[in-house]
Amino acid sequence: MARFVCGADRHQVTLLPNRLDDYVSEDNSVRVVDAFVDELDLAALGFDGVVPATTGRPGYHPATLLKIYLYGYLHQVASSRRLEREAGRNVELMWLTGRLAPDFTTIADFRRDNGPAIQAACRQFVVLCRQLGLLAGGVVALDGSRFKAVNARDRNFTPAAVRRRIEQVEASIARYLAALDTADRQEDEVARVRKVRIAERLDALRTRMRELQAMETLVEAAPDRQISLTDPDARAMATSGKGTGMVGYNVQAVVDTEHHLIVAHEVTNVGHDRTQLAHMSRQSQVATGHEGLSVLADRGYFSGEEILACEQAGIAVTLPKPLTSGAKAEGRFGKQDFVYEPEADAYRCPAGERLSYRYTNVEGGLTLRRYWTTACHDCAIKARCTPAKERRVTRWEHEAVLEAVQRRLDADPHAMRTRRQTVEHVFGTLKGWMGATHFRMRRLRNVATEMSLQVLAYNLKRVMAIFGTGPLLTALRA
């Protein structure tokens, strides 16, 4: 082994053995995990087992188990069985737990039984970030992303999916019946064996048909007309790619645009984002402490009622309006080409005519005002405006709030780019840490706990990158 770096002799006896602390450097992230958990008031956060039982075998302190999980999620080890193995061989984890090695059942039960407390610990770290001045910008970006659940698509049933599977079974039955007729016309031994196999297959298909018909009844009776067998809370959700829908959850995240910290998050099983804007914005307003918070979102969040609720809470929302009218696509003027004149309570059309207020009605709980003019019949550009008798414009009673949103978007043309650069890479990081697979736990309450651990680990790593381990340890202990 000459001219090579040589290792120590495994059988070398030392007079004074090395301390475990000697193997963990001063800037190791495991020291941040240790300091953060030690500074938490676990009883106030709601963790079970903070007060030891007076009888029976002593249990593990919740701080020890929380440290194990935080270390695991920081290093992309979320499995309780893998954490059990790491606790017995990983020097950093030995240092963190004092050489304790709980079994995987104890580790898994802790995560399952302390969901609300773990989520509270995640929020507590956001409070710490605010105290450190990391959330002073007052601008956040909101987005949602679909995460897979522990539920295959074949174990999820919707009315359309059940009908499609029934049609597939009917086609298979017809095909096997035709094959059975062909076999009946043959007399050899092979044909007799084949008929037996076809008959068995037909019995299985008829059994499957009865199961699907029973499932069709259950799906129609379900509140949201959807049933998942493996994870009852998971729901089928569409994604951007054709044929790439998944059964999973919709994770909402609000991210600070300055330091890319997740200030608020929530897991839902609603497949769209339209009802999440006000709720998530208010959460981020509380988390950041900014009364006049600015929120950037994409067009999937556009909802007049949600935007109005944000405006009433003092939250300035910036997002584009989806173009739901087909007028622009067909080469005609859109509503944005008509200018509202508040003094006259009228619209000015591209031809210069005034569309006067006519009447008010209520549709879907919204108070709508209608405007039109009788000059459309003789208009030279009517073909570019409407195929109807006259062009009618509808205005919501709170339309001024939506117009303010559009003005903010016009004043900041890079707002949507900022949103993408802020929040979309966060979801990419989280999915990368999960191995682009799926949640490990079932039911919405447990999945929310799993996501809170992911978010807490992400925020810890971000703050360590911003401050450095040493200054962060000083701040935690202060």
Side-chain angles (χ1 to χ4, degrees):
M1 300 292 288
R3 299 188 62 80
F4 286 97
V5 178
C6 297
D9 186 354
R10 297 187 183 94
H11 305 290
Q12 176 67 47
V13 178
T14 57
L15 180 62
L16 297 174
N18 294 330
R19 300 178 306 159
L20 191 59
D21 193 63
D22 295 334
Y23 293 100
V24 178
S25 63
E26 290 298 324
D27 60 348
N28 195 307
S29 61
V30 74
R31 295 185 183 273
V32 175
V33 173
D34 185 62
F36 171 66
V37 175
D38 285 346
E39 293 300 323
L40 290 175
D41 187 346
L42 299 181
L45 293 176
F47 281 94
D48 294 333
V50 177
V51 179
T54 56
T55 59
R57 183 179 182 276
Y60 292 98
H61 195 280
T64 300
L65 297 167
L66 182 58
K67 289 175 182 178
I68 291 174
Y69 265 118
L70 279 184
Y71 179 87
Y73 276 84
L74 271 172
H75 295 84
Q76 304 175 41
V77 182
S79 165
S80 58
R81 292 179 184 270
R82 289 186 62 191
L83 286 172
E84 177 190 15
R85 290 196 297 270
E86 291 298 312
R89 68 186 183 188
N90 188 310
V91 174
E92 293 177 344
L93 206 48
M94 290 179 184
W95 179 92
L96 188 62
T97 63
R99 300 197 185 211
L100 295 176
D103 62 273
F104 73 89
T105 303
T106 302
I107 297 172
D109 288 347
F110 171 79
R111 180 171 56 182
R112 183 197 62 204
D113 298 337
N114 291 276
I118 291 173
Q119 295 171 43
C122 181
R123 292 191 295 269
Q124 190 65 32
F125 188 76
V126 176
V127 172
L128 172 65
C129 293
R130 188 177 71 187
Q131 293 171 349
L132 295 176
L134 296 175
L135 305 178
V139 181
V140 297
L142 167 64
D143 201 2
S145 185
R146 279 59 168 166
F147 284 69
K148 291 181 182 178
V150 188
N151 199 108
R153 293 174 67 177
D154 289 343
R155 302 275 290 172
N156 173 265
F157 297 89
T158 63
V162 173
R163 284 194 300 270
R164 184 174 62 255
R165 293 172 193 177
I166 288 176
E167 291 171 358
Q168 291 171 350
V169 173
E170 288 175 343
S172 297
I173 290 175
R175 187 172 63 254
Y176 277 106
L177 287 174
L180 190 61
D181 290 340
T182 302
D184 285 339
R185 290 191 291 270
Q186 300 174 0
E187 300 296 336
D188 57 0
E189 184 64 26
V190 174
R192 283 193 291 272
V193 174
R194 187 182 178 199
K195 284 198 301 185
V196 172
R197 288 203 310 268
I198 293 174
E200 292 174 350
R201 184 58 183 157
L202 281 171
D203 288 340
L205 287 170
R206 289 178 178 126
T207 301
R208 178 60 176 163
M209 177 65 77
R210 289 191 293 270
E211 292 173 352
L212 287 173
Q213 290 170 344
M215 181 59 69
E216 186 175 29
T217 303
L218 293 175
V219 168
E220 292 294 337
D224 59 351
R225 303 180 71 200
Q226 188 171 163
I227 292 177
S228 296
L229 298 182
T230 307
D231 184 352
D233 291 339
R235 290 294 177 264
M237 297 185 180
T239 54
S240 55
K242 184 177 181 181
T244 60
M246 68 172 67
V247 181
Y249 293 92
N250 182 4
V251 178
Q252 299 288 314
V254 184
V255 182
D256 172 65
T257 58
E258 184 176 357
H259 293 108
H260 293 197
L261 292 165
I262 302 174
V263 300
H265 74 281
E266 188 165 302
V267 182
T268 74
N269 56 5
V270 179
H272 60 80
D273 299 330
R274 290 188 299 275
T275 58
Q276 301 296 327
L277 179 62
H279 174 61
M280 295 305 301
S281 297
R282 283 194 289 263
Q283 280 195 37
S284 56
Q285 187 181 41
V286 173
T288 60
H290 287 280
E291 293 297 327
L293 188 69
S294 295
V295 177
L296 310 178
D298 63 19
R299 66 180 75 249
Y301 289 89
F302 195 95
S303 166
E305 299 94 320
E306 293 287 308
I307 295 173
L308 177 62
C310 290
E311 188 76 16
Q312 292 171 344
I315 300 170
V317 178
T318 302
L319 75 168
K321 183 178 181 179
L323 300 177
T324 55
S325 172
K328 278 290 186 182
E330 296 172 3
R332 300 196 304 270
F333 296 121
K335 182 180 176 181
Q336 60 270 30
D337 297 312
F338 292 74
V339 180
Y340 181 67
E341 298 175 346
E343 300 83 4
D345 188 22
Y347 277 91
R348 182 72 62 184
C349 78
E353 294 291 339
R354 175 175 289 179
L355 281 67
S356 305
Y357 166 73
R358 301 294 178 169
Y359 69 91
T360 299
N361 67 333
V362 178
E363 295 181 10
L366 303 180
T367 302
L368 305 176
R369 298 167 64 83
R370 309 290 185 179
Y371 300 79
W372 72 81
T373 179
T374 57
C376 289
H377 180 71
D378 300 322
C379 181
I381 58 174
K382 180 177 180 295
R384 296 177 56 194
C385 188
T386 178
K389 181 180 178 181
E390 70 268 328
R391 178 64 181 264
R392 299 192 177 195
V393 176
T394 301
R395 183 178 178 83
W396 183 37
E397 62 175 335
H398 299 292
E399 192 85 17
V401 175
L402 306 184
E403 292 169 347
V405 171
Q406 185 61 45
R407 285 195 297 271
R408 282 194 290 269
L409 184 61
D410 294 338
D412 185 5
H414 300 294
M416 292 303 100
R417 179 181 297 177
T418 302
R419 183 203 65 80
R420 289 194 300 271
Q421 294 173 344
T422 299
V423 69
E424 290 187 1
H425 95 274
V426 171
F427 281 121
T429 300
L430 293 174
K431 290 183 178 181
W433 284 1
M434 293 173 66
T437 55
H438 50 69
F439 286 115
R440 297 176 179 274
M441 305 183 74
R442 305 176 188 180
R443 308 308 298 253
L444 180 59
R445 62 180 182 275
N446 296 326
V447 168
T449 302
E450 197 173 348
M451 181 50 64
S452 291
L453 285 168
Q454 291 279 10
V455 169
L456 179 51
Y458 171 87
N459 282 342
L460 271 168
K461 188 168 284 191
R462 281 293 304 158
V463 175
M464 282 189 281
I466 295 167
F467 270 107
T469 305
L472 180 57
L473 281 171
T474 303
L476 286 170
R477 290 163 180 159

